Amino acid sequence: ISRCLAALPGVFLVSELDPLSRLGVDPHKPRFAPSDLVLHLHYSIRAVDDEDILTVFLPALQALLGLCDQRGQRLVLRDHAHSKYCSGAGIRERPSLDEIVRRLRPVLSVVTVRHPMESYLSLLRNRWEHFTPRGIDAYSERYLRFLDDHAHLPVIRYEDFVEDPAGRLADMAAILAIPFDAAAIDLFGVIPMTGDSGRKGNLIAARAARPVPPDLAAAAEASESFARLCAR
């Protein structure tokens, strides 16, 4: 979906952004990142809090917005919500990307979702169960919190997008005030992007559901949170 948005006219899309994310940050094993100043702040042995990081991040974002303004482009930020809602022992109380960017400008946002079992199976396959306790029930609780925090925003379902890509892309373009061009559906395949971790391919089509292991099926059946999430 994000690749399709990036293929729309005049869109400058930044994928998987969350300046306050500590996912994958091991202070004892800093990784090579010569162009990432914010990551170096996370690795600092000096005391650096969230506001310090935003003091560095926001001017850079302001500069990028200025460049987009000069070039007549629309800046679209793909939030890495997994960092906040699906990592650690609990959901850390800190600003979301939406709240951070609103310090600079008004923001137009849309939430995209997929059936929870499909997204959870993908999470397991990629070994991204970064939260404790683990399991479908805990995942559902976190997912519900994410939906609660974003209840004021319009929602687009992946399944609806697959059924009518041009129609749902047009809906998102309208929500985000981006010029729509149905040609994006044919062009998105040439756009590389981080987070393209699902089933590969440049054809938008329904895929067969992945098999659900019996123990996971039983846990989902017993989870009241999973039932509420699916119903929602």
Side-chain angles (χ1 to χ4, degrees), residues 8-25:
L8 289 173
V11 168
F12 188 107
L13 190 142
V14 179
S15 181
E16 296 190 306
L17 188 64
D18 180 357
L20 300 181
S21 173
R22 292 190 171 92
L23 193 60
V25 175

Side-chain angles (χ1 to χ4, degrees), residues 10 12 63-76:
F12 188 107
L64 178 55
L65 283 164
L67 289 175
C68 289
D69 289 342
Q70 293 172 19
R71 298 168 182 175
Q73 297 172 333
R74 311 292 177 90
L75 180 62
V76 176

Side-chain angles (χ1 to χ4, degrees), residues 126-145:
N126 286 293
R127 298 182 179 179
W128 289 341
E129 205 168 18
H130 298 131
F131 52 88
T132 55
R134 297 183 176 186
I136 188 69
D137 186 67
Y139 175 73
S140 299
E141 287 287 348
R142 290 168 177 269
Y143 202 146
L144 287 165
R145 168 67 186 277

Side-chain angles (χ1 to χ4, degrees), residues 88-128:
I91 299 173
R92 189 159 62 93
E93 296 300 330
R94 46 95 163 178
S96 66
L97 182 64
D98 183 82
E99 292 167 332
I100 292 167
V101 179
R102 285 181 189 278
R103 297 188 187 187
L104 298 179
R105 298 213 186 157
V107 178
L108 300 174
S109 299
V110 61
V111 172
T112 57
V113 299
R114 190 175 185 180
H115 190 284
M117 182 57 77
E118 286 292 327
S119 58
Y120 185 68
L121 286 170
S122 179
L123 181 147
L124 292 179
R125 183 176 58 86
N126 286 293
R127 298 182 179 179
W128 289 341

Side-chain angles (χ1 to χ4, degrees), residues 44-72:
S44 174
I45 62 172
R46 311 298 179 191
V48 176
D49 62 22
D50 287 348
E51 285 302 316
D52 293 329
I53 291 171
L54 295 184
T55 296
V56 173
F57 171 77
L58 285 170
L61 180 59
Q62 182 70 67
L64 178 55
L65 283 164
L67 289 175
C68 289
D69 289 342
Q70 293 172 19
R71 298 168 182 175

Side-chain angles (χ1 to χ4, degrees), residues 204-221:
I204 301 175
R207 309 294 180 92
R210 288 193 175 97
V212 180
D215 57 338
L216 176 55
E221 180 69 23

